[in-house]
Amino acid sequence: MPGKIRTAQSVSLDTPASEQPHLHNRWHPEIPSIASVKAGESVKIECLDWTGGQIGNNDSAQDVRDVDLTKVHYLTGPFDIEGSEPGDLLVVRITDIQPFDHSPWGFTGIFARENGGGFLDRHYPKAAKAIWDFDGIYCSSRHIPGVRFAGLIHPGILGCAPSAELLAEWNRRESELISTCARTHPDQIVAQPPLETNAHAGKATGELGARIAREGARTIPGRPEHGGNVDINNISRGSTTYLPVHVPGAKFSVGDLHFSQGDGEISFCGAIEMAGVITIKFDLIKNGMRDRAIKSPVFKPGDVAQLFGPSRYLTFEGFSVDETGKQHFLDATVAYRQACLRAIEYLKQFGPQPLSSCCAARSVADSSRPAPSLGYSGEQAYLLLSCAPIRGSIAGIVDIPNACTTLGLPMDIFEFDISVEAARVTRALGACPTAS
């Protein structure tokens, strides 16, 4: 009979993350491994939320406004996978993910524009927050009433350590981007270079810890060679991910657990962030990078998914013409932003009387006319699109000049009918905490 699955690493919700040597918040090949796992073994790995406990279960958004982003993400690891060598593929089979029994809640945030921002920060520049309570596989929020749905729980981050050469390449190309965009995007942060402030190198101390802080890559972006912060909600229970190995032992790390997330995680802190435990079975494919021609992560989704039929999505289209009327060339980012804004405006303006055709044709940014209200504020709708199981896709990327994207909003997560044909009824749906 199979034995009990061991916990390869525990974490503490009471000890500051920076004082826990089995956590780290930078990518570097010399961060010391905290434990080893055999190929073929299943283990449980405990994780803090990505901020390391900076956000509280309360009705204030001040903690989201003031979050210290020099500290994130706190990952558990790295773990040596016995027998793994550069050129192998590490097989990561997720068999379960759960919030802690003693902490059955999570949070979604809109970061202040001057502190992290998000996909729609020019439209929603102030910090806001929603707390979600977990009831088994379901979640609901006192800050966004009227919705309840099952979570597709997944890690936002899993990856193997880079080699010294790969780390140098990351830093080179991202530094080059920063230099280039200093001229073309002078008011925009386009990359996060190494930063010594609040770097946590796990068990590394002294000169080694200082060097890791100077050189270590930030965990904020995903990268093509190892995955990292990809925020793919289908890498959930039952999924299998194949990760390229770049250093002996692989040095695997995981964290940033999400109870649920919509495609794009548009508010940046846009999933339902949580602390919890993930169960993983590890295997190896020797020389898999060469033999399978795989240089970037590949995954197979699991058998767990939210069950919404195709006709149960209300789908919004977005094109690469922004809200000011400016034409962009095949810009899928602009197009998806427009789809998001149209979905938000629909939820805000879903009121007791239909909009006239002349008003319906106005830009989504036009707020000169009082609109009937479904009851959701723009911040509530923005938070909801970030963490609910929306489905985003690129519908067309070849028809010049406009890329076309879609955002599918599952209607069945609402406790009332939000369809276009539904009678318009004004509802009082409270508010989420915001910070000035």
Side-chain angles (χ1 to χ4, degrees), residues 62-148:
Q62 305 299 96
D63 49 7
V64 171
R65 182 196 66 186
D66 300 333
V67 69
D68 190 340
L69 295 177
T70 67
K71 298 180 177 180
V72 300
H73 300 76
Y74 283 105
L75 307 179
T76 305
F79 295 91
D80 276 338
I81 311 302
E82 295 181 13
S84 58
E85 295 291 337
D88 295 344
L89 289 177
L90 180 64
V91 184
V92 180
R93 307 183 196 276
I94 298 174
T95 57
D96 198 17
I97 317 174
Q98 296 292 338
F100 289 124
D101 290 340
H102 56 283
S103 185
W105 66 277
F107 62 91
T108 306
I110 298 171
F111 283 174
R113 188 180 180 194
E114 64 272 15
N115 186 26
F119 194 49
L120 305 180
D121 59 5
R122 293 184 180 274
H123 302 267
Y124 298 96
K126 296 181 180 180
K129 181 173 78 175
I131 296 296
W132 297 84
D133 296 309
F134 305 149
D135 178 17
I137 66 171
Y138 296 99
C139 65
S140 58
S141 173
R142 62 184 181 269
H143 297 136
I144 310 178
V147 293
R148 184 173 185 265

Side-chain angles (χ1 to χ4, degrees), residues 343-367:
I344 290 171
E345 290 303 311
Y346 182 85
L347 292 176
K348 286 171 57 182
Q349 297 181 10
F350 188 80
Q353 298 171 358
L355 300 179
S356 68
S357 59
C358 65
C359 294
R362 294 182 181 182
S363 165
V364 296
D366 182 0
S367 58

Side-chain angles (χ1 to χ4, degrees), residues 73-413:
H73 300 76
Y74 283 105
L75 307 179
T76 305
F79 295 91
D80 276 338
I81 311 302
E82 295 181 13
S84 58
E85 295 291 337
D88 295 344
L89 289 177
L90 180 64
V91 184
V92 180
R93 307 183 196 276
I94 298 174
T95 57
D96 198 17
I97 317 174
Q98 296 292 338
F100 289 124
D101 290 340
H102 56 283
S103 185
W105 66 277
F107 62 91
T108 306
I110 298 171
F111 283 174
R113 188 180 180 194
E114 64 272 15
N115 186 26
F119 194 49
L120 305 180
D121 59 5
R122 293 184 180 274
H123 302 267
Y124 298 96
K126 296 181 180 180
K129 181 173 78 175
I131 296 296
W132 297 84
D133 296 309
F134 305 149
D135 178 17
I137 66 171
Y138 296 99
C139 65
S140 58
S141 173
R142 62 184 181 269
H143 297 136
I144 310 178
V147 293
R148 184 173 185 265
F149 53 88
L152 187 61
I153 308 178
H154 60 280
I157 298 178
L158 46 80
C160 299
S163 64
E165 295 77 13
L166 182 55
L167 175 63
E169 170 61 12
W170 289 353
N171 289 334
R172 181 205 64 77
R173 71 191 185 204
E174 290 171 23
S175 176
E176 183 179 275
L177 178 67
I178 292 170
S179 297
T180 300
C181 291
R183 299 185 298 273
T184 60
H185 299 76
D187 299 325
Q188 186 172 348
I189 297 173
V190 298
Q192 298 278 358
L195 180 67
E196 295 181 59
T197 303
N198 288 321
H200 183 31
K203 292 183 176 181
T205 59
E207 174 53 32
L208 175 59
R211 184 157 55 80
I212 290 171
R214 291 193 303 269
E215 300 173 352
R218 301 296 301 279
T219 61
I220 291 172
R223 295 179 175 91
E225 297 87 353
H226 87 143
N229 190 27
V230 293
D231 292 317
I232 298 173
N233 51 26
N234 282 321
I235 301 180
S236 184
R237 288 171 291 181
S239 67
T240 302
T241 302
Y242 305 89
L243 295 174
V245 174
H246 299 283
V247 298
K251 288 194 171 182
F252 171 85
S253 299
V254 64
D256 187 25
L257 302 186
H258 298 167
F259 189 87
S260 177
Q261 179 209 295
D263 286 345
E265 197 184 12
I266 58 174
S267 77
F268 181 34
C269 184
I272 300 179
E273 312 286 350
M274 71 175 205
V277 56
I278 182 170
T279 306
I280 298 175
K281 181 180 180 182
F282 293 98
D283 281 301
L284 287 173
I285 298 177
K286 300 299 292 181
N287 300 312
M289 291 178 66
R290 180 195 65 194
D291 294 348
R292 269 65 171 183
I294 291 177
K295 296 183 179 180
S296 296
V298 174
F299 76 95
K300 296 188 301 181
D303 295 323
V304 178
Q306 294 103 330
L307 299 177
F308 304 112
S311 66
R312 300 306 300 158
Y313 286 90
L314 187 60
T315 300
F316 299 83
E317 298 179 5
F319 300 87
S320 45
V321 178
D322 68 26
E323 62 275 11
T324 70
K326 181 179 178 180
Q327 178 74 62
H328 299 259
F329 176 66
L330 293 182
D331 192 323
T333 300
V334 169
Y336 195 57
R337 185 175 288 116
Q338 294 309 302
C340 293
L341 289 170
R342 287 165 184 163
I344 290 171
E345 290 303 311
Y346 182 85
L347 292 176
K348 286 171 57 182
Q349 297 181 10
F350 188 80
Q353 298 171 358
L355 300 179
S356 68
S357 59
C358 65
C359 294
R362 294 182 181 182
S363 165
V364 296
D366 182 0
S367 58
S368 61
R369 165 187 175 275
S373 176
L374 173 66
Y376 288 123
S377 68
E379 287 80 8
Q380 285 176 308
Y382 185 13
L383 288 165
L384 183 60
L385 294 186
S386 290
C387 65
I390 67 167
R391 288 290 173 255
S393 67
I394 295 176
I397 202 69
V398 297
D399 297 319
I400 60 172
N402 282 329
C404 176
T405 66
T406 61
L407 185 156
L409 178 62
M411 294 188 288
D412 294 337
I413 70 174

